[in-house]
Amino acid sequence: MDFQIPENLRMMQETIRRFVTRELEPISQQVEQEDHIPEDIVQKMRELGLFGLSIPEEYGGLGLGTLGEILVYEELSKTNACFRSRIGTNNGIGSMGILFDGTEDQKRYYLPKIASGEWTACFALSEPEAGSDAANVQTTAERHGSYFIINGLKHFITNADVADVATVITVTDKQKRARGGITAFVIEKGTPGFYRGTIERKMGLRGSHTAELIFDNCRVPVDNIIGGEPMIGQGFKTAMRVLDKGRLTMGACALGASQKLLDLCIDYSKERVQFGKPICKHQSVQNMLADMATEIYAARQMLYHAAWLRDQGKKVIKEASMVKLFCTEMACRVADKAVQIFGGMGYMKEMPVERFYRDLRLYRIFEGTSEIQRLVIARELTKE
Ligand SMILES: Cc1cc2nc3c(=O)[nH]c(=O)nc-3n(C[C@H](O)[C@H](O)[C@H](O)COP(=O)(O)OP(=O)(O)OC[C@H]3O[C@@H](n4cnc5c(N)ncnc54)[C@H](O)[C@@H]3O)c2cc1C
């Protein structure tokens, strides 16, 4: 067992930590109020290479392995979650379909633009009738010679408002569906018949938007199928591979936010005096701090271990679901205790704990709910 973080990744971690402290945290509340990340900050994120963490160097990214990527996500998640969300789709769901299953031409055309952040990418799977039951997509792609005509509505699509390109999951054979009837396309903004719909109003994650995408007789060539003609009907596998990968990064987001909350609570509990002593001297508060720290410690071990396994080329379907399940549920327990430790102040908008409490709730829902993670874990356990 080797518990050292390699030197190059440690340096990267330090760089991101400084960027968060100096550039992101000071504008965190402003972004929350304005529901918008200033363009100069997005530009700084581009310059740091944050849009292409996981994209290989040959396609213009930093080519970090899984461990490197989750260390960056952990640091970025110690501030307003919208910053991580802004780069998240380019590093994950918006680019991985092309990277895993795209043709070489598609990789060379799209990935450098996504990795540099020149383009924003999004991933359009969810629909009103297809959430956890992803194979139930109703967006159709009908073949007409060398073209497909796409019709349907996607909703809850992260970064759809700023996206230049979308991975779009459609049904091409309603009988076969997940078994050969789902096809993934890559579709650019401006393609006739492809529009952005309503921006949805959310509980949290201000500064990052989700929106509908509408396809109204949108005509795209066969070349826009991710992986080309041989991948017709294989899009469900592409979508599942993309989501599998995201589960570890979701764990990292939950972990970073939890660590930040613990740090805030330690500081606050030393300063806040009640009954003549700092509240950290009251045993009930100590218990909460101890439980938070213990869970964070456990979460970090499992996350780093699963990332390490993946970097060794091991299959981590079960482990990735365990990480997403445990880390995101743990983060909500931590956020609940953080609000408690801050007392009334924890309920006030001027304190970041209130924001973390709302934002973290999402992590148990998107990229596969906790219930779906349990199904995956149980399926893998009983298969073994
Ligand atoms: C802010 C935000 C951003 C998002 N970004 C994207 C995006 O970029 N791209 C995208 O495609 N999607 C995105 N989503 C959609 C997200 O992935 C779905 O919301 C999620 O998969 C759950 O689907 P649903 O909302 O339809 O809930 P449902 O599937 O309707 O689930 C409702 C409840 O039923 C439970 N449930 C459902 N089926 C089962 C079962 N078989 N066993 C046990 N329990 C079950 C669920 O766990 C949940 O508790 C986003 C969602 C949000 C809120």
Side-chain angles (χ1 to χ4, degrees):
M1 283 192 264
D2 179 1
F3 287 110
Q4 299 299 316
I5 294 174
E7 186 55 21
N8 62 328
L9 297 186
R10 221 186 43 72
M11 283 168 63
M12 178 88 195
Q13 196 181 28
E14 270 308 313
T15 305
I16 305 302
R17 199 168 282 166
R18 270 199 307 276
F19 179 61
V20 167
T21 313
R22 291 182 189 166
E23 306 278 353
L24 302 185
E25 190 52 20
I27 60 158
S28 193
Q29 282 298 79
Q30 174 200 327
V31 169
E32 186 69 12
Q33 275 156 21
E34 294 174 2
D35 196 16
H36 171 73
I37 305 176
E39 183 52 31
D40 64 312
I41 291 292
V42 176
Q43 184 53 28
K44 284 181 183 163
M45 298 203 285
R46 289 189 187 105
E47 285 159 16
L48 275 173
L50 294 181
F51 284 90
L53 299 170
S54 53
I55 296 177
E57 286 174 276
E58 58 176 313
Y59 302 116
L62 296 186
L64 293 181
T66 315
L67 183 60
E69 191 183 358
I70 62 158
L71 290 172
V72 173
Y73 272 33
E74 189 184 334
E75 290 308 318
L76 271 182
S77 300
K78 293 180 179 171
T79 182
N80 195 317
C82 68
F83 298 114
R84 198 286 316 167
S85 184
R86 184 65 182 80
I87 64 154
T89 50
N90 278 38
N91 284 296
I93 54 181
S95 64
M96 288 298 120
I98 302 170
L99 181 67
F100 294 152
D101 289 334
T103 62
E104 196 50 39
D105 281 353
Q106 287 170 344
K107 291 181 199 180
R108 299 221 167 271
Y109 180 70
Y110 292 110
L111 293 180
K113 294 182 180 69
I114 296 174
S116 66
E118 179 193 343
W119 279 15
T120 297
C122 70
F123 175 75
L125 168 62
S126 298
E127 298 179 7
E129 301 304 319
S132 302
D133 186 5
N136 195 39
V137 287
Q138 304 296 315
T139 297
T140 53
E142 220 174 86
R143 189 163 192 165
H144 294 263
S146 58
Y147 282 84
F148 278 81
I149 307 282
I150 302 182
N151 279 296
L153 170 79
K154 299 288 179 182
H155 74 169
F156 301 165
I157 308 306
T158 303
N159 288 334
D161 58 325
V162 285
D164 301 279
V165 64
T167 292
V168 182
I169 309 300
T170 68
V171 58
T172 40
D173 185 330
K174 285 189 175 168
Q175 303 305 317
K176 293 186 182 156
R177 290 200 165 269
R179 294 187 182 77
I182 304 263
T183 302
F185 288 84
V186 55
I187 305 183
E188 282 175 42
K189 177 179 162 182
T191 305
F194 175 33
Y195 313 102
R196 197 204 76 205
T198 309
I199 294 185
E200 288 126 350
R201 295 178 63 229
K202 310 190 287 342
M203 178 195 287
L205 213 66
R206 287 175 61 78
S208 165
H209 305 132
T210 69
E212 296 172 336
L213 289 178
I214 298 163
F215 298 89
D216 181 10
N217 286 319
C218 174
R219 190 166 175 265
V220 290
V222 173
D223 288 349
N224 283 42
I225 292 169
I226 294 184
E229 184 104 34
M231 288 296 284
I232 293 177
Q234 303 305 310
F236 195 71
K237 282 186 207 144
T238 303
M240 291 305 111
R241 285 182 78 192
V242 167
L243 292 173
D244 267 357
K245 194 234 162 199
R247 287 173 184 155
L248 294 182
T249 47
M250 281 297 110
C253 297
L255 175 65
S258 302
Q259 182 64 57
K260 178 69 182 182
L261 285 169
L262 175 62
D263 295 345
L264 289 170
C265 285
I266 292 170
D267 290 347
Y268 186 77
S269 68
K270 287 189 199 166
E271 285 162 17
R272 174 72 177 159
V273 174
Q274 286 293 277
F275 296 95
K277 56 185 178 183
I279 58 169
C280 69
K281 300 285 181 199
H282 296 296
Q283 200 172 31
S284 300
V285 174
Q286 291 175 344
N287 288 345
M288 285 193 272
L289 292 173
D291 287 347
M292 290 160 86
T294 305
E295 291 215 87
I296 289 170
Y297 180 57
R300 182 169 286 115
Q301 304 313 307
M302 73 191 291
L303 172 66
Y304 288 9
H305 181 249
W308 175 81
L309 280 177
R310 190 169 186 277
D311 283 340
Q312 306 302 306
K314 300 274 190 326
K315 265 177 101 173
V316 290
I317 296 173
K318 182 182 68 188
E319 290 79 2
S321 281
M322 287 172 161
V323 164
K324 186 183 187 260
L325 173 65
F326 183 78
C327 292
T328 60
E329 300 231 329
M330 176 278 302
C332 288
R333 290 191 292 272
V334 165
D336 189 67
K337 290 191 177 81
V339 172
Q340 201 64 21
I341 289 173
F342 272 74
M345 285 311 288
Y347 202 66
M348 297 296 142
K349 289 252 175 228
E350 64 200 89
M351 284 291 154
V353 288
E354 180 270 346
R355 188 188 72 234
F356 276 107
Y357 183 81
R358 281 182 289 110
D359 289 351
L360 281 167
R361 190 61 185 82
L362 173 62
Y363 293 169
R364 286 159 57 191
I365 297 168
F366 72 172
E367 298 205 21
T369 63
S370 291
E371 292 71 32
I372 295 302
Q373 304 311 323
R374 288 189 177 92
L375 289 185
V376 173
I377 297 163
R379 191 186 62 209
E380 292 295 309
L381 285 173
T382 48
K383 204 161 80 179
E384 278 166 7

